[in-house]
Amino acid sequence: MEAKLTASYQAAKELYAIHGIDTDKVLDRLAQVKVSMHCWQGDDVRGFLNRDQELTGGIAVTGNYPGAARTADELRQDLEKAFSLIPGKHKVNLHAIYADTDERVELDQLEPKHFANWVKWAKEHGLGLDFNPTCFSHEKSADGFTLSHPDPQIRQFWIDHCKASRKIGAYFGQELGQTCVTNVWVPDGFKDIPVDRLGPRRRLKESLDEIFAERLDPASHLDAVESKVFGIGSESYVVGSHEFYMGYGLQNNKLICLDAGHFHPTETISGKLSSLALFAEGILLHISRPVRWDSDHVVIMDDELLDIACELVRHDLLAKTHIGLDFFDASINRIAAWVIGMRNTLKALLRAMLEPTELLRQAELAKDYTTRLALLEEFKSYPYGAVWDYYCARQGVPVREAWLDEVKAYEQEVLSVREV
Ligand code: RNT
Ligand code: ZN
């Protein structure tokens, strides 16, 4: 390793040690954290089944940066490139539409075999897998409703799709020897003010009960449910609201998924984690960045990301939290989008781990709020960057912005020759 890197790390290590923080131990702890990287940033949420369908469900990808993956092989190649620039061992989050098969198969007929190539690849690379049923971009969701649909036949189609998805998730978990989280998110909602807010929620609850009726081994598979406040075209009412899934998840021991972009504009998820920690079976995070009406900008190291990381670390919630990313941007290099989001998430966790939490807690208990504020502010400029650089080098990935050159070279060689 470059001598300058080691020297900067040593200097940082000594500074942190003054407050009893062991940077070597922190780096070992950071290396244990797995983040689930969402495959859908790689191809603008298109998938490989029903590629002729437009993206629906009130989510939107804008931009036309060249080089989106067109096949499962291309997507895996891109994911490998991204992972080579991100420190640590992680997971990949798949959606049902990313089935890797030549068969023409309907969503309710999907089976584990349609994902066998993904499992083989994950094994080769030591990656975990997570899963999601795709309840959008389909003719049967065209009117905006799926699991809460008033037509029992359409509702059954989506129930069967979600049941099939759990089987696939369980297969991932068993094959890979690490828990797979299957997360249910449905776009159901009304553009304009509804008369009946209860009926659709009752139907959604009944559908979920049927989907989750089969018990799956929690060692290899966990269910999560994801809420949202509004989507494009469901501005007035979303069936699966925060209150709905808080109720459902708590009553039925499901992981509660909080997507950072799914709340009111000034509402954040970091403040909710300590409450969920006391009552929920577990937490799934969709780390994202809301900007005005969009819930899915590339994750940057903003206050909310740092606050989320602090809450997870201070309250020792990493063990009961499954961290995933969820954003899509087609206006920049898609691999760079992944790398920026993943590196920021890990960097924020590192910064949180380098906080003198015990000292701050003591100050708080002693009502010494002066010390609490002073230390919190001073620690913002402690040299966590030197610790991060050392960590990247130790994990064998590029230090600082050196990863960008690799992405640019890959763009030249691989992405730019892909035709639309
Ligand atoms: C949509 C939800 C959901 C999706 C993915 C593609 O608002 O956040 O998680 O982004 O399933
Ligand atoms: Zn999400």
Side-chain angles (χ1 to χ4, degrees):
M1 194 184 300
E2 220 186 288
K4 266 193 196 160
L5 271 181
T6 333
S8 303
Y9 176 68
Q10 279 306 327
K13 188 178 153 80
E14 282 163 30
L15 271 179
Y16 284 110
I18 296 171
H19 292 290
I21 301 161
D22 181 337
T23 53
D24 290 336
K25 282 215 182 100
V26 163
L27 292 188
D28 290 341
R29 188 170 173 212
L30 184 63
Q32 302 299 311
V33 178
K34 283 182 193 291
V35 177
S36 194
M37 194 164 88
H38 56 314
C39 76
W40 52 90
Q41 165 61 59
D43 77 333
D44 315 335
V45 210
R46 280 195 74 184
F48 313 121
L49 296 179
N50 324 320
R51 271 181 76 79
D52 39 318
Q53 291 279 337
E54 59 160 349
L55 176 62
T56 67
I59 50 181
V61 184
T62 51
N64 54 2
Y65 205 85
R70 299 159 303 176
T71 63
D73 284 328
E74 287 183 353
L75 186 57
R76 283 188 285 261
Q77 187 188 4
D78 293 354
L79 287 161
E80 282 173 35
K81 185 73 213 175
F83 279 125
S84 75
L85 308 172
I86 298 161
K89 272 278 162 230
H90 300 285
K91 297 175 97 180
V92 171
N93 198 2
L94 292 176
H95 242 281
I97 45 171
Y98 290 83
D100 184 8
T101 175
D102 296 331
E103 266 177 64
R104 268 214 72 83
V105 47
E106 248 315 335
L107 291 176
D108 59 340
Q109 303 296 318
L110 279 172
E111 292 177 50
K113 67 174 183 197
H114 301 116
F115 291 86
N117 292 340
W118 281 107
V119 167
K120 185 168 165 279
W121 173 79
K123 281 184 184 164
E124 283 163 12
H125 295 272
L127 295 162
L129 290 175
D130 291 314
F131 201 57
N132 305 259
T134 309
C135 302
F136 51 84
S137 303
H138 191 280
E139 59 188 21
K140 286 196 163 63
S141 69
D143 59 5
F145 288 86
T146 62
L147 290 177
S148 71
H149 205 285
D151 177 340
Q153 273 183 349
I154 296 186
R155 200 159 69 240
Q156 195 60 48
F157 171 82
W158 293 110
I159 292 172
D160 291 341
H161 172 50
C162 290
K163 283 185 176 173
S165 297
R166 288 180 86 225
K167 292 213 167 74
I168 293 160
Y171 155 76
F172 287 172
Q174 280 151 14
E175 286 292 316
L176 300 171
Q178 47 176 310
T179 317
C180 166
V181 177
T182 299
N183 174 52
V184 175
W185 171 74
V186 294
D188 303 29
F190 282 117
K191 180 185 179 76
D192 225 328
I193 307 154
V195 171
D196 184 4
R197 289 188 166 83
L198 180 61
R201 291 195 168 129
R202 183 174 285 128
R203 290 193 292 271
L204 176 57
K205 178 181 181 298
E206 286 168 5
S207 296
L208 293 169
D209 288 346
E210 187 175 339
I211 291 163
F212 298 136
E214 186 185 346
R215 194 190 170 274
L216 297 174
D217 181 4
S220 49
H221 180 269
L222 291 170
D223 298 297
V225 286
E226 180 180 7
S227 66
K228 191 166 183 172
V229 65
F230 78 92
I232 306 295
S234 59
E235 289 87 356
S236 297
Y237 168 79
V238 164
V239 184
S241 61
H242 182 52
E243 293 74 15
F244 176 90
Y245 281 121
M246 282 293 278
Y248 195 88
L250 295 181
Q251 199 168 64
N252 298 281
N253 298 327
K254 301 300 171 199
L255 303 186
I256 292 175
C257 173
L258 297 182
D259 183 311
H262 286 189
F263 292 84
H264 291 283
T266 59
E267 188 180 1
T268 54
I269 64 166
S270 51
K272 302 181 190 296
L273 298 176
S274 47
S275 299
L276 275 180
L278 293 176
F279 302 109
E281 184 76 5
I283 302 165
L284 172 65
L285 291 181
H286 273 188
I287 309 269
S288 188
R289 176 170 52 111
V291 177
R292 304 198 191 280
W293 55 81
D294 179 50
S295 72
D296 303 289
H297 273 52
V298 178
V299 166
I300 60 171
M301 215 163 132
D302 55 10
D303 286 349
E304 172 60 357
L305 182 66
L306 292 166
D307 287 344
I308 292 170
C310 278
E311 287 297 304
L312 294 178
V313 171
R314 285 178 190 163
H315 313 314
D316 207 11
L317 297 182
L318 286 166
K320 73 181 301 182
T321 308
H322 302 261
I323 307 172
L325 304 185
D326 184 14
F327 51 77
F328 15 97
D329 189 339
S331 74
I332 61 171
N333 181 301
R334 294 172 185 78
I335 292 159
W338 270 325
V339 175
I340 292 166
M342 288 289 281
R343 284 176 70 117
N344 280 337
T345 302
L346 295 164
K347 210 189 284 179
L349 286 167
L350 171 65
R351 207 182 96 160
M353 288 175 184
L354 291 170
E355 176 191 85
T357 310
E358 208 27 59
L359 201 68
L360 291 163
R361 229 191 279 273
Q362 291 306 327
E364 188 166 278
L365 277 174
K367 301 198 175 67
D368 183 359
Y369 306 136
T370 313
T371 299
R372 181 180 66 183
L373 185 61
L375 282 185
L376 279 171
E377 289 307 296
E378 282 305 325
F379 261 78
K380 285 181 178 166
S381 53
Y382 262 55
Y384 71 94
V387 183
W388 170 252
D389 294 345
Y390 175 82
Y391 180 64
C392 288
R394 201 176 84 171
Q395 294 282 332
V397 302
V399 173
R400 290 189 288 273
E401 65 276 15
W403 63 265
L404 187 57
D405 293 336
E406 295 208 25
V407 169
K408 292 266 160 92
Y410 186 80
E411 180 173 317
Q412 269 295 309
E413 285 156 33
V414 181
L415 301 181
S416 67
V417 296
R418 285 181 191 165
E419 279 154 27
V420 194

